[in-house]
């Protein structure tokens, strides 16, 4: 469903360049929760940025649902991202003035591939999603009235509004205590399996490893598959 095929990414670093991702091949399959672990600065977030089509690799291909994203124009990539990719950042990045339900509704409207019927369909999904992440009872609260874990749930539900085939999540538990973190990880595993997303999840937290279907370890921009679990 998503394939990073021999990708390399460098950033400018004074007169030289630093290699953040070094010839990585990584596959995310439907219904599989793939964890990406590794030390700080090893290139985990850069890998997700490549998968999100937010940056272009220096070389290699990024295949999403059969399309080579590296060959798309900027606007084609934006459309692909909106329709096929859900992204959850480390901080939930919610709009302070909007209720949980409104955060999802805004995303539904943004989807606006024009058609009114499609927008209505996406709007209809909002309450189902809030229920799926356990927020039905607090759907009318604003971010300040929600706990950290609840805010992260809003961000997860929002990422799923367009029923993406690929879900990308960067360190979702870093601001949470262990128990809340474990709940979020369990939720992401369940959503991955129920909704059949190809989920790539960056985590440096070893305590959460048991919910991962596969674990890829990144060291100095190079990745290796370390465990695969059969369910
Ligand atoms: P991780 O998420 O594993 O901590 P990153 O992908 O953020 O790793 O960073 C990988 C390497 O790329 C590091 O050496 C980091 O300093 C460098 N890097 C990341 N983002 C940028 C950027 N925007 N500009 C320059 N260097 C960057
Ligand atoms: Mg990072």
């Amino acid at each position: 469903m998503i394939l990073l095929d021999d990708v390399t990414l460098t950033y400018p670093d004074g007169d030289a360049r630093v290699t953040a991702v070094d010839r990585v091949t990584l596959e995310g399959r439907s219904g599989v929760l793939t964890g990406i672990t590794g030390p700080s600065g090893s290139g985990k977030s850069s890998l997700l940025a490549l998968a999100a089509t937010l940056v272009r690799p220096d070389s290699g291909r990024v295949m999403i649902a059969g399309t080579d994203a590296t060959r798309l124009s900027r606007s084609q990539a934006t459309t692909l991202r909106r329709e096929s990719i859900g992204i959850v950042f480390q901080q939930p990045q919610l709009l302070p003035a909007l209720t949980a339900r409104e955060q999802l509704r805004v995303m539904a409207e943004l989807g606006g591939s024009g058609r009114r019927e499609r927008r209505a369909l996406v709007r209809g999904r909002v309450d189902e999603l809030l229920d799926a992440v356990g927020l039905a009872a607090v759907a009318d609260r604003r971010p300040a009235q929600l706990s950290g874990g609840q805010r992260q749930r809003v961000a997860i539900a929002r990422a799923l509004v367009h029923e993406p085939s690929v879900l990308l999540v960067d360190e979702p538990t870093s601001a949470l205590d262990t128990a809340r973190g474990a709940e979020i990880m369990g939720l992401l595993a369940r959503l991955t399996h129920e909704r059949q997303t190809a989920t790539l999840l960056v985590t440096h937290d070893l305590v959460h490893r048991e919910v991962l279907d596969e674990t890829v370890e990144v060291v100095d921009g190079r990745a290796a598959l370390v465990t695969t679990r059969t369910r």
Side-chain angles (χ1 to χ4, degrees):
M1 196 40 78
I2 179 161
L3 174 67
L4 303 181
D5 181 15
D6 199 16
V7 288
T8 292
L9 178 69
T10 65
Y11 296 108
D13 181 34
D15 293 335
R17 297 188 77 83
V18 57
T19 302
V21 175
D22 190 3
R23 301 200 61 176
V24 168
T25 294
L26 170 64
E27 188 185 17
R29 298 188 308 285
S30 298
V32 176
L33 177 58
T34 302
I36 300 173
T37 67
S40 178
S42 59
K44 305 182 297 297
S45 294
S46 297
L47 269 179
L48 277 202
L50 285 166
T53 74
L54 292 169
V55 294
R56 253 172 224 268
D58 296 55
S59 61
R61 299 185 308 163
V62 178
M63 303 293 297
I64 291 163
T67 300
D68 183 355
T70 61
R71 302 182 79 89
L72 299 178
S73 69
R74 199 176 282 259
S75 77
Q76 287 172 321
T78 303
T79 302
L80 175 77
R81 200 180 309 130
R82 200 163 54 205
E83 292 178 353
S84 303
I85 306 176
I87 307 176
V88 180
F89 296 101
Q90 204 163 346
Q91 298 299 326
Q93 305 193 342
L94 304 177
L95 298 162
L98 301 188
T99 67
R101 184 182 285 110
E102 287 164 350
Q103 314 274 346
L104 273 67
R105 286 224 172 126
V106 163
M107 193 54 119
E109 298 303 327
L110 280 182
S113 57
R115 305 258 316 283
R116 191 179 299 177
E117 309 85 79
R118 190 184 133 81
R119 283 215 304 275
L121 197 75
V122 173
R123 263 203 307 276
R125 213 175 278 145
V126 165
D127 284 310
E128 182 265 319
L129 271 170
L130 287 168
D131 192 35
V133 300
L135 292 179
V138 294
D140 293 316
R141 293 196 190 173
R142 296 191 170 79
Q145 304 164 296
L146 297 170
S147 69
Q150 287 173 328
R151 286 197 288 269
Q152 200 53 277
R153 284 166 195 268
V154 175
I156 291 167
R158 184 180 58 182
L160 294 170
V161 159
H162 293 291
E163 299 194 311
S165 49
V166 175
L167 181 61
L168 305 173
V169 192
D170 199 352
E171 310 225 22
T173 64
S174 56
L176 305 176
D177 63 48
T178 307
R180 300 294 158 272
E183 284 174 16
I184 292 293
M185 293 292 283
L187 174 66
L188 286 163
R190 179 165 62 76
L191 293 169
T192 297
H193 301 149
E194 284 176 1
R195 289 165 198 259
Q196 290 292 299
T197 53
T199 305
L200 302 183
L201 169 97
V202 169
T203 176
H204 62 238
D205 234 334
L206 300 180
V207 287
H208 299 312
R209 267 199 187 178
E210 77 268 20
V211 306
L212 304 173
D213 297 318
E214 293 188 348
T215 307
V216 170
E217 174 123 33
V218 184
V219 178
D220 291 339
R222 290 172 188 264
L225 180 65
V226 287
T227 58
T228 300
R229 191 178 65 174
T230 42
R231 265 182 290 119

